[in-house]
Structures are given as C-alpha cells and as structure tokens.
C-alpha cells in the first residue's frame, strides 16, 4: 500500500495528499509529527529514497539553524536529530512498495504511483 508521511500545515504536503486522493489508489496517511518515525523507520525511508540522511533534513527550520547548522554531524547524529525534532524531516515523503520520493515538487509523486 502507498504511504504518505504528511504534515497538514505544509502546502507541498497538502498538494501531495491531493495527488494521492485524485489517483483513486488506496493509501495510508502517516502524520509524522504525531506518529514520529523510529530511527529504524527513518533509515529504511532514507534507503528507499537512495539519499544520505542530510538530504532529508529541512535546513531552513529554526531548530536546524540554531542547534545543528555548521556542525560536523555523522549520519547517526542527523537521524537522531530528525527523530528528536520531526519538524526537520522533509515532506511529504511517499512510499509505494520499494519506491519512494520526496514530494518536492509534489509532481514527483506521480513517478511512483
């Protein structure tokens, strides 16, 4: 089943959700600020996206700028930062089986549904 990691306060995430709703396919919504992914889940998402952990970080978030920007962080430290501060996780993320995309732009989602 298709899964979207969603934040309703984000316009790109809402657009991604709309794309899935219009697709007519079944999908699951994960409100990741309420249901925070574990370290293992984040590692799996990062592997599916085929990116490094830093590429999943929202670097313009205040908490990133104040606490992490400019520091040499290991992949594990970056993943821990996202688990402890889920606002740092880029959104939306859509997973369909073994394929995953970050919905920025939201049209990226069309490539995997």
């Amino acid at each position: 089943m298709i899964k979207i990691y969603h934040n309703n306060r984000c316009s790109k995430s809402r657009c991604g959700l709309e794309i899935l709703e219009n697709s007519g396919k079944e999908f699951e919504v994960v409100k990741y600020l309420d249901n925070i992914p574990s370290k293992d889940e984040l590692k799996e998402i990062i592997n599916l996206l085929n990116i490094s952990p830093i590429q999943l970080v929202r670097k313009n978030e205040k908490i990133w700028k104040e606490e992490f920007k400019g520091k040499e962080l290991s992949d594990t430290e970056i993943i821990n930062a996202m688990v402890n501060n889920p606002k740092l996780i880029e959104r939306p993320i859509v997973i369909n089986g073994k394929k995953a995309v970050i919905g920025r732009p939201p049209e990226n989602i069309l490539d995997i549904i």
Side-chain angles (χ1 to χ4, degrees), residues 1-2 4 9 12 19 22 30 42 45-46 49 56 61 65 71-72 74 76 83 86 88 90-91 99 109:
M1 177 183 290
I2 299 170
I4 181 170
R9 299 185 79 198
K12 299 289 187 213
I19 287 170
N22 291 335
V30 177
L42 267 182
I45 291 166
I46 289 163
L49 289 167
L56 193 58
E61 288 290 334
K65 290 178 180 178
K71 293 183 178 177
E72 288 288 324
S74 69
T76 299
V83 169
L88 293 176
E90 191 59 86
R91 59 195 180 239
K99 298 177 185 174
I109 295 166

Side-chain angles (χ1 to χ4, degrees), residues 22-110:
N22 291 335
S23 76
K25 299 183 181 189
E26 284 190 40
F27 63 93
E28 173 188 357
V29 177
V30 177
K31 294 182 179 180
Y32 69 92
L33 294 179
D34 298 328
N35 186 10
I36 301 167
S38 68
K39 290 177 193 179
D40 288 338
E41 284 178 276
L42 267 182
K43 287 178 188 176
E44 183 178 331
I45 291 166
I46 289 163
N47 284 334
L48 287 171
L49 289 167
N50 197 27
I51 61 173
S52 63
I54 193 67
Q55 291 175 283
L56 193 58
V57 172
R58 295 177 53 83
K59 295 170 202 74
N60 285 328
E61 288 290 334
K62 182 179 178 183
I63 193 157
W64 180 263
K65 290 178 180 178
E66 291 178 352
E67 294 190 27
F68 304 103
K69 186 177 179 180
K71 293 183 178 177
E72 288 288 324
L73 300 171
S74 69
D75 286 352
T76 299
E77 289 171 320
I78 293 167
I79 290 169
N80 288 339
M82 287 188 281
V83 169
N84 294 325
N85 306 282
K87 286 177 84 174
L88 293 176
I89 301 171
E90 191 59 86
R91 59 195 180 239
I93 301 165
V94 176
I95 299 173
N96 187 3
K98 296 290 181 190
K99 298 177 185 174
V101 295
I102 297 172
R104 290 189 168 266
E107 293 77 23
N108 287 350
I109 295 166
L110 297 170

